[in-house]
Amino acid sequence: MEIFGIKTGLLRPGEDIIEALRRGIDEAGISLRDGDVIVVSESFVATGEGRVVSLADITPSSRAISLASRYEKDPAEMELILRESDEILGGIPGVVLALKDGFLYPNAGVDHSNAPPGHVVLLPSDPKEAASRIRSALSNGARIGVIIGDSRTHPLRLGCVGVALACDGILPVEDARGRRDLYGRPLKITVKAVADNLVSAAQLVMGEGDEGIPAVVIRGAPVELSDSGPVAIPNIPPHECMYIGVLRSIPRPYTGEYDDLVRSAIDARDQAYAPYSKFRVGAAVLCRSGKIYRGANVENASSGAGICAERVAIAGAVAAGERELVALAVAGDLPRPITPCGICRQMMLEFGDMDVVMVGLDGDALMVRASELLPNAFTLPCGSRSSGSERH
């Protein structure tokens, strides 16, 4: 197997990556052949798409400011991480771990490297489309594959390896289940990450710094090409991942991120009206706007007329015009954390999945997603229904 580096020079935001790659291939004296695989850096693609952002142009939300303080990030960068991610899982000083499109990304792919000072590069908007466009433009009749690649670290390992974001003309994984090992036993779970492994090989030539090699041509790789069109890299749901599945036991310890929200829930608990049970509960809900709405349980001599703190907080947010709820904290009157009741779980999921932090009197706190508290809730996404008299 051979790997040929393609130098393109410094790419300017919005510059045509196809012309830059074609020029680099010509200057390297490479003629593409059947079976060749081109690996292209995701930051190169994103720069060509103009996804280079000046941090000075970003106004951080209150949530971004809070998280930036916790994880020692620039508030403007943290705001971009929130915008780019589907879920924040946690972090360490300097790095935030996020889920985006089913994949784990440090800082949601927001990257300072290979960006002008004061700027960051986001992930490409559509890696599949980019792979397809590159393959169509550069193949010149040859049967080739194209991979958009990135780099990642593995848990508890030092150093980066390659990962694929999307590909065209090549099968990203090879199912080895059913084959035999050296002792004749059938393989039951082995699936080869073909595209990831090719990107790892490409990384040895492309590098991570000022090498100026945003792409390579891999020749002679023992891979299967395909004409099925561009494909995303297959992933698995978090609960089936052995790392996330173990670390995200339900519920899991609260590690921070919503401290202001937790304090609001604890403060709201002091306002509870609970003359019958003497059991006070406070809740607070964080909205996408950054605003926090508080609520406390309100009891009634007729027990059915009482209302839980969680629903009081949600109702207050909705009455104020909020529709996008990010997280909810609930603080009870017991040493251990309490969980929302079934009706409150249903109410939360009416406005989408959200993080739920449950806090006890002794400071112990647990965290869970609302969908994990109530799988298969009876609801539709907020805003997807008819309103007024059309609802039944």
Side-chain angles (χ1 to χ4, degrees), residues 279-303:
F279 185 72
R280 302 172 306 153
V281 180
V285 62
L286 172 66
C287 301
R288 185 71 64 186
S289 65
K291 294 181 179 179
I292 292 176
Y293 297 83
R294 303 192 305 178
N297 60 321
V298 180
E299 295 183 348
N300 192 279
S302 174
S303 60

Side-chain angles (χ1 to χ4, degrees), residues 13-332:
E15 188 176 346
D16 189 342
I17 65 170
I18 299 297
E19 288 306 314
L21 288 171
R22 184 177 285 124
R23 185 170 57 249
I25 290 173
D26 290 343
E27 291 175 356
I30 300 172
S31 297
L32 295 177
R33 306 175 186 173
D34 287 350
D36 284 351
V37 177
I38 303 175
V39 178
V40 184
S41 161
E42 54 81 21
S43 62
F44 183 78
V45 174
T47 299
E49 292 179 349
R51 286 175 63 79
V52 180
V53 181
S54 170
L55 293 176
D57 295 336
I58 302 300
T59 301
S61 63
S62 59
R63 186 185 181 206
I65 293 172
S66 176
L67 291 178
S69 176
R70 171 168 293 278
Y71 297 122
E72 300 179 13
K73 301 290 291 183
D74 179 277
E77 183 186 355
M78 191 68 235
E79 176 63 30
L80 287 172
I81 293 171
L82 287 173
R83 295 180 189 178
E84 289 290 302
S85 64
D86 297 323
E87 181 181 351
I88 302 295
L89 297 181
I92 59 174
V95 182
V96 176
L97 189 62
L99 273 175
K100 176 180 172 67
D101 300 327
F103 290 97
L104 283 174
Y105 290 95
N107 300 325
V110 178
D111 196 357
H112 283 275
S113 61
N114 298 311
H119 293 68
V120 293
V121 183
L122 310 181
L123 289 172
S125 58
D126 189 346
K128 286 198 304 181
E129 187 278 333
S132 178
R133 183 160 48 91
I134 293 170
R135 181 177 180 237
S136 176
L138 299 183
S139 62
N140 289 326
R143 193 161 183 258
I144 65 172
V146 172
I147 305 172
I148 309 301
D150 196 0
S151 60
R152 293 285 184 280
T153 59
H154 280 320
L156 303 180
R157 295 297 296 268
L158 183 64
C160 294
V161 296
V163 293
L165 302 186
C167 59
D168 188 19
I170 184 173
L171 298 178
V173 297
E174 179 184 340
D175 192 349
R177 291 173 296 182
R179 298 182 186 176
R180 301 283 174 174
D181 69 8
L182 292 174
Y183 294 92
R185 293 170 299 198
L187 299 174
K188 296 182 179 180
I189 61 174
T190 301
V191 177
K192 292 182 181 180
V194 174
D196 287 347
N197 289 332
L198 289 176
V199 178
S200 289
Q203 290 286 329
L204 295 173
V205 174
M206 295 165 67
E208 298 280 349
D210 62 357
E211 293 86 354
I213 304 176
V216 302
V217 173
I218 299 178
R219 180 164 293 164
V223 298
E224 182 178 352
L225 297 184
S226 169
D227 295 316
S228 59
V231 294
I233 307 304
N235 58 10
I236 57 177
H239 68 272
E240 293 183 10
C241 172
M242 66 179 177
Y243 298 114
I244 300 299
V246 170
L247 297 176
R248 289 185 67 177
S249 56
I250 304 174
R252 52 198 171 275
Y254 170 65
T255 57
E257 179 181 349
Y258 297 115
D259 290 351
D260 291 342
L261 186 67
V262 169
R263 282 190 289 268
S264 294
I266 293 172
D267 291 343
R269 182 178 59 200
D270 295 336
Q271 307 304 319
Y273 178 75
Y276 305 104
S277 71
K278 310 298 183 185
F279 185 72
R280 302 172 306 153
V281 180
V285 62
L286 172 66
C287 301
R288 185 71 64 186
S289 65
K291 294 181 179 179
I292 292 176
Y293 297 83
R294 303 192 305 178
N297 60 321
V298 180
E299 295 183 348
N300 192 279
S302 174
S303 60
I307 183 169
C308 297
E310 298 93 314
R311 281 177 283 152
V312 172
I314 292 173
V318 173
E322 305 281 3
R323 294 296 183 270
E324 295 186 64
L325 311 186
V326 174
L328 181 142
V330 55

Side-chain angles (χ1 to χ4, degrees), residues 307-312 314 328 339-350 354 370 373-374:
I307 183 169
C308 297
E310 298 93 314
R311 281 177 283 152
V312 172
I314 292 173
L328 181 142
T339 62
C341 73
I343 295 176
C344 288
R345 299 178 190 192
Q346 178 69 49
M347 175 63 83
M348 286 187 287
L349 286 164
E350 177 72 12
M354 66 186 75
L373 287 173
L374 186 64

